[in-house]
């Protein structure tokens, strides 16, 4: 998984093939297939690992500050930073690992932990709003910012303003 991740970060997911991974880790393809059904399974494993890392980043950001509004801002920054620092992993998490179940009880623990960390951040500022819905909106807004900025679809130089506005909207 580490090799797949490193290769994807360096050259993109198109460069990650089971043949190339087998060569890089010095195993035969049959040995690789004994651990993973194929590239999609490798991508899914990288995605699950990414969600565990995102959950950790969210928890560290939330607990490093004192007030709930500060936590929302810190978590928003940590989320965006994670996506910017790990673009291939983020892509695996949200675009490539299509078979992962989200928002269901059978979702892998790291996915549920990432959501729980975001929920723990926004619940104290939810007021009369449903904290689960607010968490989904927060996740959607942050993901949208990350994706649109990464694809060059937003104006240059306004990242901080967009993030601050998103946080202000979440705070109500």
């Amino acid at each position: 998984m580490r090799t797949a991740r490193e290769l994807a970060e360096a050259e993109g997911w198109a460069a990650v093939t089971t043949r190339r991974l087998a060569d890089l880790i010095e195993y035969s393809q049959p040995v690789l297939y004994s651990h993973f059904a194929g590239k999609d399974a490798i991508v899914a494993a990288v995605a699950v690992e990414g969600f565990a890392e995102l959950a950790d980043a969210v928890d560290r950001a939330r607990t490093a500050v004192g007030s709930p509004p500060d936590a929302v801002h810190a978590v928003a920054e940590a989320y965006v930073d994670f996506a910017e620092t790990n673009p291939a992993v983020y892509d695996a998490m949200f675009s490539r690992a299509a078979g992962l179940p989200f928002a269901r009880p059978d979702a892998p623990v790291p996915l549920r932990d990432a959501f729980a960390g975001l929920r723990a951040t926004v619940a104290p500022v939810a007021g009369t709003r449903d904290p689960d819905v607010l968490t989904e909106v927060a996740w959607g807004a942050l993901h949208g910012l990350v994706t649109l900025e990464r694809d060059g679809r937003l104006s240059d130089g306004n990242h901080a303003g967009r993030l601050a506005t998103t946080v202000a909207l979440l705070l109500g």
Side-chain angles (χ1 to χ4, degrees):
M1 283 182 3
R2 184 185 45 184
T3 302
R5 180 179 178 157
E6 290 169 356
L7 184 57
E9 291 293 359
E11 299 180 31
W13 282 107
V16 179
T17 64
T18 54
R19 178 179 304 275
R20 188 149 181 216
L21 285 176
D23 289 344
L24 288 170
I25 63 174
E26 299 178 355
Y27 285 116
S28 67
Q29 277 187 288
V31 170
L32 186 61
Y33 280 116
S34 72
H35 295 283
F36 297 99
K39 179 178 174 177
D40 290 344
I42 294 167
V43 172
V46 169
V48 170
E49 184 177 83
F51 278 107
E53 293 171 13
L54 177 62
D56 185 52
V58 164
D59 287 341
R60 280 193 322 267
R62 185 183 75 252
T63 58
V65 295
S67 73
D70 289 343
V72 172
H73 193 266
V75 165
E77 286 181 348
Y79 183 99
V80 170
D81 183 60
F82 175 85
E84 289 174 350
T85 305
N86 305 283
V89 173
Y90 192 83
D91 188 39
M93 293 163 64
F94 291 104
S95 300
R96 297 198 169 265
L100 289 178
F102 283 83
R104 297 187 342 217
D106 62 332
V109 171
L111 278 70
R112 291 183 301 191
D113 288 349
F115 184 84
L118 290 171
R119 188 185 189 288
T121 303
V122 301
V125 299
T128 60
R129 300 172 290 180
D130 181 321
D132 290 328
V133 171
L134 186 59
T135 303
E136 290 174 343
V137 168
W139 198 325
L142 293 171
H143 176 69
L145 285 176
V146 164
T147 302
L148 292 170
E149 286 182 4
R150 184 168 72 174
D151 293 345
R153 296 187 178 172
L154 298 175
S155 57
D156 289 335
N158 292 321
H159 170 78
R162 282 189 290 270
L163 195 58
T165 299
T166 300
V167 168
L169 291 169
L170 292 172
L171 294 175

